């Protein structure tokens, strides 16, 4: 692919991840290497002899030269309020120099004597280069105002046959492909010293060709700006449509309205969703609607009230003789109806759906080289139980823990301490025995409840916002077990729980498949852009 063929495919490149910025850098790279212009035999020869430098091949009649041989370079004035004297004058510092332009919204002053001005002032056509900050960042000074430069900047005054605008392009290309970075000094704060500039070779085309390249780059940058603006307008329109579609989903009050709104989303997936965050937003919205009863249409039997009676009976039957009952539910634990829910659903405290809600052992566990895995919050924050790198406790310690504190398949773990509180993880079938620290709550759902439904509920914003409101502590927020047990959740009859899980799982799979397709599209765009750049480099 030639540079001209690549330019013809600007639209494709612009849609790749970070495509517009890639295009800008690509234009500068091919410009600095002579691929945007042709040498005219009538052009005066460059001001340097053609040298062989182990960098990249240059067009005929171009030469290589150290930057400091075609520019007169020097650092600006040291800022020292105690020693500086003379007239207060505006000066440029790193913060004022952007790539190819100056930001003069915040200009400071320093005192300069008249006899120093020639050494530290800038004139029209000077190339101002950052020594620190982002070393190499530069712009051509086009002003007539009397500015001086501070010591963190190089003032590079062009010699005969040199267009500073071409070298602003050149340095941007060199910064993007690492040619400048290898000259930096400093371990943490990087610097591009005068000695480094002495070692930095730049390409030197004939002056007339430099000017043609600058004009061509300006033309292409204008085109890229137009592409970027058009892409921004398309993205704004897409986001507006996405938000409208999600709003229609969120405000739907009947199953029919939900079905209509979801059909609208599904039919426009390609236009509606362009990145992983879009798919995630749709997924969360769909699950939230399911949990509010907007995806089921029938009142099933047994009723939610009968379900709660069965759970209470199960809890009582499992209580060993002589063992006291668990935490008492409040008088308002069950509410017959709540605004926004189907009439046959109930609003209940979370503990009404569980046999037990507790947490890990509060005593410091003994350590063992092997034995039973002991998991901390770090082992579950990804949403999947991870045993890699976990600690172990002796079997005897594990056996002595109350059974309610030994998670089993079908239980739900819920993080209750730290910045990652509110993560729910369903313990899958086949999980080997393990125990957890006290920062993880263990919920054992009733067998009358669909555990996937309950895990979905615990992962929703419906529960998270309540948990967040009930946290204690600031440095380390904690959801007390008493608060967790009393979080209010909506419970439908069991048949509807199953129906909701089926519907939400199907929608989640559609969104997951879309995310995969989006990732592949973005990877293909990125691969095309990378291949194009590599081809040009080759």
């Amino acid at each position: 692919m030639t540079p001209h063929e690549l330019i013809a495919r600007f639209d494709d490149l612009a849609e790749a991840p970070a495509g517009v910025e890639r295009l800008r850098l690509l234009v500068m790279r091919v410009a600095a290497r002579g691929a945007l212009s042709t040498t005219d035999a009538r052009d005066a020869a460059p001001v340097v002899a053609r040298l062989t430098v182990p960098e990249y091949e240059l067009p005929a009649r171009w030469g290589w030269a150290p930057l400091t041989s075609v520019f007169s370079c020097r650092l600006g004035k040291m800022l020292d309020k105690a020693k500086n004297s003379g007239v207060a004058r505006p000066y440029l510092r790193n913060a004022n120099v952007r790539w190819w332009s100056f930001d003069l919204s915040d200009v400071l002053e320093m005192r300069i004597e008249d006899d120093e001005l020639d050494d530290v002032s800038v004139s029209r056509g000077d190339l101002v280069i950052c020594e620190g900050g982002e070393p190499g960042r530069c712009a051509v000074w086009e002003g007539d105002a009397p500015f001086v430069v501070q010591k963190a900047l190089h003032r590079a005054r062009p010699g005969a046959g040199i267009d500073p605008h071409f070298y602003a392009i050149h340095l941007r290309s060199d910064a993007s492909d690492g040619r400048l970075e290898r000259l930096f000094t400093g371990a943490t704060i990087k610097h591009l010293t005068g000695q480094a500039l002495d070692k930095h070779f730049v390409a030197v085309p004939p002056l007339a060709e430099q000017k043609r390249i600058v004009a061509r780059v300006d033309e292409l940058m204008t085109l890229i700006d137009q592409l970027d603006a058009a892409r921004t307008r398309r993205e704004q329109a897409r986001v507006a449509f996405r938000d409208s579609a999600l709003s229609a989903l969120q405000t739907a009050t009947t199953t029919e309205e939900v079905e209509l709104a979801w059909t609208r989303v599904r039919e426009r997936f390609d236009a509606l969703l362009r990145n992983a965050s879009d798919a995630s937003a749709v997924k969360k919205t769909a699950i939230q609607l399911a949990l509010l009863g907007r995806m089921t249409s029938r009142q099933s039997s047994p009723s939610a009230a009968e379900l709660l009676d069965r759970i209470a009976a199960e809890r009582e039957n499992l209580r060993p003789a002589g063992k006291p009952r668990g935490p008492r539910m409040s008088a308002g634990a069950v509410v017959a109806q709540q605004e926004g829910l189907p009439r046959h659903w109930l609003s209940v405290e979370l503990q009404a759906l569980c046999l037990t809600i507790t947490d890990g052992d509060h005593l410091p566990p003994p350590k063992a080289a092997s034995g039973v895995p002991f998991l901390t919050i770090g082992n579950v924050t990804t949403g999947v139980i991870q045993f890699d790198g976990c600690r172990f406790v002796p079997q005897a310690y594990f056996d002595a823990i109350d059974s309610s504190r030994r998670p089993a398949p079908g239980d739900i773990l819920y993080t209750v301490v730290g910045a990652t509180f509110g993560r729910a993880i369903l313990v899958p079938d086949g999980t080997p025995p393990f125990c957890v620290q006290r920062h993880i709550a263990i919920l054992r759902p009733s067998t009358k409840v669909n555990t996937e439904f309950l895990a979905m509920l615990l992962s929703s914003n419906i529960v998270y916002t309540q948990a967040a409101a009930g946290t204690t502590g600031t440095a380390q927020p904690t959801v007390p077990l008493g608060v967790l047990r009393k979080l209010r959740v909506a419970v439908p009859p069991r048949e509807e729980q199953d129906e909701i899980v089926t519907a939400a799982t199907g929608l989640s799979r559609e969104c997951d498949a879309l995310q995969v397709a989006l990732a592949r599209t973005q990877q293909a765009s990125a691969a095309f852009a990378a291949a194009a750049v590599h081809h040009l480099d080759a």
Side-chain angles (χ1 to χ4, degrees):
M1 180 179 292
T2 68
H4 302 289
E5 290 171 333
L6 185 67
I7 291 167
R9 297 194 64 179
F10 261 13
D11 282 342
D12 295 330
L13 280 172
E15 293 303 322
V20 169
E21 184 58 24
R22 279 175 176 265
L23 277 176
R24 296 188 199 281
L25 295 177
L26 190 58
V27 166
M28 287 178 275
R29 182 177 297 184
V30 296
R33 300 185 180 196
L36 280 186
S37 65
T38 56
T39 300
D40 191 322
R42 295 169 294 179
D43 292 342
V47 296
V48 297
R50 183 170 177 82
L51 301 175
T52 300
V53 179
E55 294 289 343
Y56 46 80
E57 188 63 30
L58 294 178
R61 304 190 73 212
W62 286 37
W64 284 104
L67 181 71
T68 51
S69 71
V70 292
F71 283 87
S72 174
C73 301
R74 64 164 297 147
L75 287 171
K77 173 79 172 177
M78 171 75 78
L79 180 63
D80 189 332
K81 292 184 178 180
K83 295 182 180 179
N84 294 156
S85 60
V87 179
R89 306 176 196 270
Y91 72 92
L92 299 174
R93 64 193 198 280
N94 264 327
N96 301 122
V97 182
R98 316 316 304 162
W99 279 113
W100 299 3
S101 66
F102 292 90
D103 178 2
L104 302 181
S105 61
D106 180 22
V107 174
L108 306 180
E109 293 184 336
M110 74 163 74
R111 295 191 175 276
I112 303 286
E113 295 288 353
D114 289 344
D115 59 4
E116 298 178 286
L117 277 178
D118 287 345
D119 291 334
V120 296
S121 61
V122 286
S123 299
R124 180 180 289 272
D126 284 347
L127 184 61
V128 182
I129 306 170
C130 291
E131 188 270 351
E134 184 183 354
R137 191 174 65 218
C138 63
V140 177
W141 182 253
E142 303 283 9
D144 294 317
F147 272 75
V148 298
V149 291
Q150 187 239 2
K151 192 177 180 180
L153 299 173
H154 296 281
R155 184 198 69 185
R157 184 155 290 168
I162 296 298
D163 185 337
H165 299 91
F166 173 77
Y167 290 92
I169 296 169
H170 202 315
L171 287 177
R172 186 68 181 97
S173 172
D174 295 342
S176 71
D177 64 16
R179 291 189 66 233
L180 280 184
E181 186 175 5
R182 64 193 183 192
L183 299 173
F184 293 169
T185 61
T188 54
I189 300 177
K190 303 298 182 182
H191 296 275
L192 182 64
T193 65
Q195 290 83 358
L197 292 182
D198 289 337
K199 299 174 183 177
H200 184 58
F201 277 75
V202 292
V204 185
L207 177 59
E209 190 167 356
Q210 294 177 37
K211 293 184 178 298
R212 287 197 297 273
I213 291 171
V214 170
R216 182 60 170 147
V217 168
D218 287 344
E219 178 186 338
L220 291 175
M221 289 301 174
T222 298
L223 174 59
I224 292 172
D225 289 342
Q226 292 170 352
L227 286 173
D228 193 25
R231 195 173 66 90
T232 298
R233 289 192 295 271
R234 289 196 301 272
E235 179 65 9
Q236 290 171 342
R238 187 194 64 79
V239 169
F241 174 67
R242 180 200 67 190
D243 293 345
S244 173
L246 291 184
S247 177
L249 266 176
Q250 292 163 351
T251 56
T253 58
T254 66
T255 305
E256 292 75 16
E257 289 177 356
V258 169
E259 185 175 349
L260 181 63
W262 179 250
T263 299
R264 183 186 179 205
V265 170
R266 184 188 286 114
E267 289 176 347
R268 297 292 302 278
F269 258 172
D270 290 345
L272 184 69
L273 309 180
R274 298 299 299 275
N275 54 54
S277 62
D278 292 332
S280 178
V282 171
K283 184 176 180 178
K284 288 180 179 179
T285 299
I287 290 175
Q288 181 108 339
L289 288 169
L291 296 174
L292 291 174
R294 310 282 172 79
M295 290 191 175
T296 54
S297 57
R298 57 189 174 83
Q299 181 170 347
S300 51
S301 181
S303 68
E306 291 174 303
L307 173 66
L308 293 179
D309 289 340
R310 295 181 181 185
I311 294 173
E314 180 184 16
R315 189 184 301 110
E316 183 64 24
N317 290 336
L318 291 175
R319 182 171 61 87
K323 183 174 181 178
R325 288 183 174 86
R328 183 180 299 275
M329 288 187 229
S330 64
V334 178
V335 176
Q337 188 178 346
Q338 182 173 317
E339 184 178 356
L341 295 179
R343 297 177 63 84
H344 61 288
W345 287 30
L346 294 178
S347 173
V348 304
E349 291 178 353
L350 180 60
Q351 60 184 333
L353 304 179
C354 298
L355 303 177
T356 59
I357 298 179
T358 185
D359 55 11
D361 192 6
H362 287 219
L363 296 176
K367 296 181 180 179
S370 61
V372 179
F374 178 84
L375 304 186
T376 64
I377 280 186
N379 297 109
V380 299
T381 50
T382 62
V384 177
I385 297 173
Q386 296 178 324
F387 291 99
D388 293 344
C390 72
R391 294 157 55 185
F392 294 92
V393 295
Q395 184 69 46
Y397 167 83
F398 176 79
D399 293 340
I401 299 175
D402 186 86
S403 61
S404 65
R405 286 194 156 107
R406 298 198 298 260
D411 287 352
I412 299 170
L413 307 181
Y414 191 81
T415 58
V416 293
V417 176
T420 56
F421 77 86
R423 308 284 177 87
I425 304 95
L426 178 63
V427 181
D429 291 339
T431 303
F434 68 97
C435 52
V436 298
Q437 68 175 160
R438 64 183 182 86
H439 293 174
I440 301 174
I442 306 163
L443 291 80
R444 184 153 296 161
S446 164
T447 59
K448 313 301 181 183
V449 173
N450 186 309
T451 54
E452 291 183 67
F453 169 80
L454 188 56
M456 194 181 298
L457 192 57
L458 285 165
S459 298
S460 71
N461 285 334
I462 298 170
V463 167
Y464 182 82
T465 52
Q466 295 181 68
T471 57
T472 61
T474 52
Q476 191 175 46
T478 300
V479 183
L481 286 182
V483 170
L484 180 62
R485 292 182 179 117
K486 294 181 184 299
L487 296 180
R488 190 159 290 282
V489 296
V491 55
R494 172 60 190 258
E495 287 185 18
E496 284 186 68
Q497 293 177 31
D498 298 342
E499 186 180 345
I500 287 168
V501 168
T502 299
T505 300
L507 294 178
S508 294
R509 285 174 179 164
E510 284 192 61
C511 291
D512 290 342
L514 176 64
Q515 283 180 292
V516 171
L518 287 170
R520 286 175 179 165
T521 299
Q522 291 176 342
Q523 289 170 358
S525 296
F528 167 68
V533 173
H534 176 75
H535 184 78
L536 286 173
D537 285 345

